[in-house]
């Protein structure tokens, strides 16, 4: 985490401690994919709502939704759809959850600058991440073992990539990630590992993409703002905030701000396609 982000989070948690010392902190937890975007939204909201108290933390989509269920979060950030079992668990806690589309993300498959592969189709990606294709020479590259990096199981991106790529959208499939897959705790960790490892491959949210790595075309389509917006990029998906439909106070206000024109402009600035 950068010094700037650390300062932001400290300011968010501590702001308004005087007059609002007895009030609760609004907790936003979950997806690391949209963590930075959510922090930026909250930072901007705080500029005109200085007495509000909001904490934004990651941990993965599963962590966020679980926190919403056990009432240690007011808003869950998620990069996957909520499961029916999670909706039922929320209902048992008296929460009628509302799905708020924050924006759209293109899951970006990344490789090292030293790797000259430019395009892979979804079937080949499935073979790589399932551990069936293990050497770059099978794909026209160097004779070297493919180092496969994935997000860990608490990540919504991990779940989405498995369902859409490894299992090809087949709800009956039981294909899992290969046994040699290295599981990483964050988008940033995958980015850094691919940047230093010539034969690594991984995936990140498009908001994390930078010039330290190369992105692959998937089925001949590169992940760009335009291809995610028009749905031609094959691994594009919605990203969400999940929140009680009966919300009020600061929780309601920050959700309203997130989907406002200003909030959606921040989503765009953070590298995602806005919801409207």
């Amino acid at each position: 985490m950068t010094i700037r982000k650390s300062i932001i989070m400290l300011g968010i948690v501590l702001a308004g401690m005087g007059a609002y010392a007895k009030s609760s902190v609004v907790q936003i937890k979950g997806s690391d994919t949209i963590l930075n975007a959510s922090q930026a939204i909250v930072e901007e909201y705080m500029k005109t709502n200085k007495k509000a108290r909001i904490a934004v933390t990651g941990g993965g989509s599963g962590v966020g939704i679980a926190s919403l269920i056990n009432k240690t979060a007011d808003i869950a950030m998620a990069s996957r759809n909520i499961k029916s079992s999670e909706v039922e668990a929320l209902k048992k806690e008296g929460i009628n959850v509302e799905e708020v589309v924050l924006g759209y993300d293109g899951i970006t498959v990344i490789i090292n600058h030293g790797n000259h592969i430019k395009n892979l189709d979804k079937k080949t990606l499935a073979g790589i991440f399932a551990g069936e294709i293990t050497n770059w020479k099978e794909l026209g590259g160097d004779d070297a073992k493919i180092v496969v990096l994935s997000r860990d199981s608490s990540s919504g991106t991990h779940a989405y990539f498995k369902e859409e790529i490894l299992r090809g959208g087949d709800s009956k499939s039981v294909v899992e990630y290969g046994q040699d897959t290295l599981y990483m705790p964050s988008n940033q960790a995958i980015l850094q590992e691919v940047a230093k490892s010539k034969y690594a491959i991984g995936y990140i949210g498009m908001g994390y993409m930078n010039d330290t790595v190369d992105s692959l075309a998937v089925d001949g389509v590169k992940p760009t703002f335009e291809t995610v917006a028009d749905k031609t990029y094959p691994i594009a998906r919605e990203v969400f905030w999940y929140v009680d439909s009966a919300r009020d106070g600061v929780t309601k206000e920050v959700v309203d701000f997130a989907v406002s024109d200003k909030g959606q402009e921040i989503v765009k600035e953070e590298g995602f396609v806005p919801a409207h």
Side-chain angles (χ1 to χ4, degrees):
M1 183 178 291
T2 64
I3 292 174
R4 175 176 173 272
K5 288 295 183 184
S6 299
I7 292 170
I8 290 168
M9 286 193 68
L10 181 62
I12 288 169
V13 173
L14 297 181
M17 287 294 281
Y20 281 69
K22 295 183 180 180
S23 66
S24 61
V25 177
V26 171
Q27 297 282 349
I28 303 176
K29 298 182 181 181
S31 170
D32 291 300
T33 297
I34 54 171
L35 177 61
N36 288 352
S38 297
Q39 286 177 332
I41 288 168
V42 168
E43 177 189 6
E44 188 63 28
Y45 169 82
M46 291 287 294
K47 288 180 180 178
T48 52
N49 297 273
K50 297 183 183 299
K51 293 183 178 180
R53 299 171 64 205
I54 307 173
V56 186
T57 54
S61 301
V63 169
I65 294 172
S67 299
L68 195 62
I69 293 169
N70 64 34
K71 298 185 178 180
T72 58
D74 303 281
I75 299 170
M77 303 176 288
S79 56
R80 63 162 171 85
N81 291 100
I82 194 168
K83 301 173 183 176
S84 58
S85 59
E86 293 166 335
V87 173
E88 289 304 312
L90 284 161
K91 284 183 179 178
K92 289 179 181 178
E93 297 298 326
I95 299 170
N96 290 311
V97 70
E98 180 178 337
E99 181 179 272
V100 178
V101 178
L102 191 68
Y104 298 90
D105 177 33
I107 298 178
T108 304
V109 182
I110 58 172
I111 57 173
N112 185 273
H113 285 317
N115 193 329
H116 302 299
I117 302 295
K118 301 298 182 184
N119 173 68
L120 293 174
D121 59 37
K122 289 172 67 175
K123 184 177 180 180
T124 302
L125 279 177
I128 292 170
F129 282 87
E132 297 165 358
I133 299 172
T134 60
N135 194 298
W136 285 108
K137 71 179 179 180
E138 299 176 64
L139 308 173
D142 293 347
D143 183 3
K145 181 181 178 180
I146 300 173
V147 179
V148 180
L149 307 176
S150 167
R151 289 296 313 282
D152 57 37
S153 60
S154 66
S155 161
T157 307
H158 166 107
Y160 184 91
F161 195 87
K162 179 169 67 177
E163 295 300 324
E164 294 299 316
I165 297 300
L166 276 75
R167 298 179 176 178
D170 181 359
S171 61
K172 295 180 181 179
S173 174
V174 293
V175 176
E176 293 289 343
Y177 288 93
Q179 63 179 5
D180 291 334
T181 302
L182 302 177
Y183 296 101
M184 311 297 283
S186 66
N187 287 274
Q188 192 63 34
I190 291 178
L191 187 76
Q192 291 173 348
E193 188 63 29
V194 172
K196 69 182 183 182
S197 178
K198 182 176 180 179
Y199 297 113
I201 185 171
Y203 56 81
I204 58 173
M206 66 186 296
Y208 286 83
M209 184 63 190
N210 62 32
D211 61 6
T212 65
V213 296
D214 289 333
S215 64
L216 288 177
V218 178
D219 289 342
V221 182
K222 292 279 283 187
T224 66
F225 186 92
E226 292 74 21
T227 61
V228 170
D230 67 16
K231 310 296 192 299
T232 56
Y233 182 63
I235 330 178
R237 43 76 186 268
E238 296 168 316
V239 287
F240 311 98
W241 278 6
Y242 286 103
V243 62
D244 192 338
S245 62
R247 60 189 175 273
D248 57 13
V250 172
T251 301
K252 180 181 186 303
E253 289 178 7
V254 75
V255 172
D256 290 347
F257 178 75
V259 297
S260 70
D261 289 345
K262 179 58 180 175
Q264 290 292 289
E265 183 60 32
I266 295 169
V267 169
K268 183 176 180 180
E269 289 170 359
E270 290 295 319
F272 299 96
V273 176
H276 63 80

